[in-house]
Amino acid sequence: MRNLTLKFLHLLFLAITMSLFHSANSKSMLRLKRGASISVEGNTFITSPDDSFTCGFYAMPGSKAYWFAIWFTNSKDKTVVWTANRDRPVNSQGSRISIQGADGTMVLTDVDGSIIWQTNTRKSDVSAAELLNTGNLVLKNQRGDILWQSFEVPTDTLLPSQILTKDKRLTSSLRKGSFESGYFNLYFGSDNVLWLINDSPETSSLYWPNPDFDIHTNKRTNYNSSRIAFLDDMGMFRSSDKLQANASDKGFGIKRRLTIDHDGNLRIYSLIISTGLWMITWQAISQPCKVHGVCGTNGICVYAPTPKCICTPGYEMNDPSDWIAGCKPTFKEALLSSPVKFLELSQTDYFGSDLYYKPDFTLEACRELCLGDSRCKAFAYKTWGSGHCYVKSDLFNGYMSPDFPGSVYIKLPRRVQVSKPSIWFQHYV
Ligand SMILES: *[C@@H]1O[C@H](CO)[C@@H](O)[C@H](O)[C@H]1NC(C)=O
Ligand SMILES: *[C@@H]1O[C@H](CO)[C@@H](O)[C@H](O)[C@H]1NC(C)=O
């Protein structure tokens, strides 16, 4: 006990001295000039004139890897809005960002001098980098013309006055506590409509606006081909497809951001100045399980009652620490050669992957159709007027929904012992 207390005091002492050390030694500048550089060890940052944004080397808590990033100075956890090298972090020692003399390119190099990231500003007359009050990192020439800007290459966040155009996208982080590119994206589709879409290695699946409805029911239009979207200073998120979403604290003077999160939802966050914490003031998807693929291949998103991922019965997690990796079958045999059985999961469906869709079908006929096709991994059956049969080739985008009027029937080798997770009984007992 005494030992523990001592250890705790020691840690506390370390934390205090380190934070003093940090604030005493960190330097901030308004401009990084051509020929100059910033290193992790140098503890130097570029700040916006109003100090609302900071740019420099950033490490995730508990990590020795660094990213060249821009963050909100006054949010408690220094929320990052942009990273240059999201998929390739650099070492804490010897990495640097510089505006190189010869052509004015901004270059991020790792300890061994290898180029990790650079701007496409070759043969230009860049004189300095500055961070604007909007959170935009810009490269300027002597005359003050902007030659490159971070707003042109967004990562997962759009800031007020930053514009999402035709050839740009926001891409989520792969998991919480990481900057690595994930699978969820926000961009304009070929139909001029702003989409949320899961572009994973196995599949592409649009989940917003609601794929069960047509464009007009979703209050969008595909007539306007200008394809621009932005979050304004009032907290209104608007797009040329007629989307209009308002932050619940609509009004001027609040710091906000629009972020596509690792769970695939798109949210407007507003900063509470007194605490430095973020408040969600709008989100695109109200039922989290409606985000396609949020539980990976063969996973099912359920409400228990808060949203959580489980594997389809008869399947197990690929990586026990990570749902993104999805689930794999616990059996090896093909689903035709061996005797099979079907396990019913009520109010559950896998969006898409329909080998066949048959209206006016009986449950028994639907079962026969799946039984006779080795590609069929499950079938969904819903009663909506008459019976509707959907034969599934893959178990993607699995979700449980209180408003799904039917069940899915999982095809499994007869010898495989499975127990239905209790979530499917709670509705009946
Ligand atoms: C198309 O959208 C842009 C951006 O929202 C808007 O300025 C323009 O007026 C729209 N055009 C038409 C024909 O509605
Ligand atoms: C958002 O706010 C604007 C301006 O006050 C208003 O015209 C619009 O109807 C609001 N949109 C929604 C979806 O609430």
Side-chain angles (χ1 to χ4, degrees):
M1 192 63 195
R2 214 180 75 102
N3 246 341
L4 271 181
T5 318
L6 274 179
K7 203 172 231 169
F8 175 75
L9 284 175
H10 180 67
L11 281 176
L12 192 68
F13 175 72
L14 265 182
I16 291 170
T17 47
M18 273 169 71
S19 67
L20 285 176
F21 185 79
H22 181 87
S23 49
N25 279 277
S26 80
K27 296 180 280 290
S28 70
M29 51 163 96
L30 288 175
R31 141 175 332 102
L32 179 70
K33 293 211 180 92
R34 180 166 175 164
S37 68
I38 294 179
S39 63
V40 180
E41 306 96 296
N43 221 359
T44 304
F45 303 94
I46 308 174
T47 52
S48 61
D50 68 357
D51 198 35
S52 49
F53 291 95
T54 304
C55 172
F57 283 99
Y58 182 97
M60 284 283 183
S63 160
K64 286 204 172 70
Y66 280 79
W67 287 264
F68 181 61
I70 299 171
W71 59 89
F72 276 94
T73 312
N74 299 316
S75 69
K76 198 172 174 199
D77 61 354
K78 308 262 175 278
T79 308
V80 168
V81 296
W82 180 80
T83 46
N85 54 322
R86 68 186 300 184
D87 295 311
R88 290 183 67 188
V90 293
N91 280 283
S92 58
Q93 301 285 320
S95 303
R96 57 185 58 245
I97 187 100
S98 55
I99 302 180
Q100 292 191 341
D103 50 20
T105 307
M106 193 173 208
V107 179
L108 173 65
T109 49
D110 208 339
V111 57
D112 59 357
S114 59
I115 294 176
I116 300 301
W117 171 86
Q118 60 185 323
T119 57
N120 55 354
T121 42
R122 291 184 166 278
K123 298 207 175 66
S124 63
D125 54 347
V126 172
S127 70
E130 282 172 35
L131 184 58
L132 307 183
N133 286 341
T134 51
N136 192 6
L137 178 70
V138 299
L139 295 183
K140 288 183 175 174
N141 62 13
Q142 289 287 3
R143 293 204 309 274
D145 305 325
I146 291 176
L147 303 172
W148 177 89
Q149 49 187 319
S150 61
F151 271 16
E152 287 289 324
V153 282
T155 52
D156 64 354
T157 295
L158 198 72
L159 291 169
S161 88
Q162 182 175 12
I163 297 175
L164 190 75
T165 53
K166 195 176 153 84
D167 46 4
K168 296 195 191 100
R169 60 172 64 195
L170 299 187
T171 301
S172 66
S173 289
L174 193 57
R175 54 181 75 83
K176 201 181 171 80
S178 154
F179 295 121
E180 193 182 339
S181 306
Y183 304 143
F184 302 113
N185 292 275
L186 175 77
Y187 57 79
F188 281 99
S190 50
D191 60 355
N192 299 324
V193 172
L194 190 60
W195 292 346
L196 283 175
I197 184 165
N198 178 343
D199 281 328
S200 68
E202 300 94 0
T203 178
S204 260
S205 195
L206 184 160
Y207 56 92
W208 183 80
N210 191 334
D212 292 332
F213 301 137
D214 67 22
I215 290 175
H216 303 287
T217 312
N218 281 319
K219 300 202 176 78
R220 306 280 192 96
T221 173
N222 51 8
Y223 296 137
N224 191 328
S225 57
S226 56
R227 298 191 193 173
I228 64 166
F230 58 92
L231 174 66
D232 72 10
D233 291 327
M234 285 270 286
M236 281 201 281
F237 177 46
R238 281 189 280 177
S239 142
S240 51
D241 67 1
K242 274 193 169 162
L243 166 74
Q244 202 182 67
N246 294 335
S248 57
D249 61 353
K250 199 174 72 182
F252 292 109
I254 296 169
K255 298 265 180 239
R256 299 191 184 88
R257 62 187 165 97
L258 177 82
T259 301
I260 181 165
D261 287 317
H262 71 279
D263 65 358
N265 213 338
L266 181 70
R267 299 183 173 95
I268 298 178
Y269 289 89
S270 302
L271 186 64
I272 308 163
I273 290 295
S274 58
T275 57
L277 300 175
W278 293 99
M279 181 169 72
I280 296 167
T281 46
W282 176 78
Q283 57 185 356
I285 312 283
S286 54
Q287 287 186 38
C289 289
K290 290 273 170 97
V291 173
H292 287 177
V294 70
C295 295
T297 306
N298 300 317
I300 306 176
C301 182
V302 301
Y303 299 102
T306 51
K308 83 175 219 198
C309 293
I310 57 171
C311 286
T312 298
Y315 292 72
E316 63 192 4
M317 284 182 84
N318 274 311
D319 172 354
S321 64
D322 199 354
W323 280 104
I324 283 294
C327 307
K328 59 174 192 276
T330 56
F331 51 89
K332 296 256 179 312
E333 56 266 58
L335 289 171
L336 192 62
S337 53
S338 60
V340 298
K341 62 182 174 187
F342 289 92
L343 180 74
E344 180 186 357
L345 305 176
S346 57
Q347 295 185 314
T348 306
D349 192 18
Y350 298 92
F351 192 95
S353 306
D354 294 339
L355 276 173
Y356 315 103
Y357 161 60
K358 304 275 184 191
D360 298 318
F361 240 51
T362 62
L363 178 65
E364 189 47 37
C366 194
R367 187 178 173 279
E368 286 299 320
L369 202 55
C370 179
L371 208 52
D373 194 322
S374 62
R375 296 168 301 170
C376 176
K377 293 187 179 148
F379 68 90
Y381 190 79
K382 66 182 178 192
T383 320
W384 224 4
S386 63
H388 301 255
C389 167
Y390 305 81
V391 174
K392 304 284 177 186
S393 60
D394 281 296
L395 309 182
F396 291 137
N397 311 326
Y399 67 99
M400 180 182 238
S401 168
D403 35 88
F404 182 72
S407 296
V408 74
Y409 296 80
I410 314 296
K411 193 187 196 182
L412 293 165
R414 198 174 294 160
R415 64 154 190 92
V416 173
Q417 294 295 320
V418 288
S419 56
K420 242 196 282 193
S422 60
I423 179 81
W424 275 284
F425 299 110
Q426 287 166 13
H427 298 266
Y428 301 102
V429 290

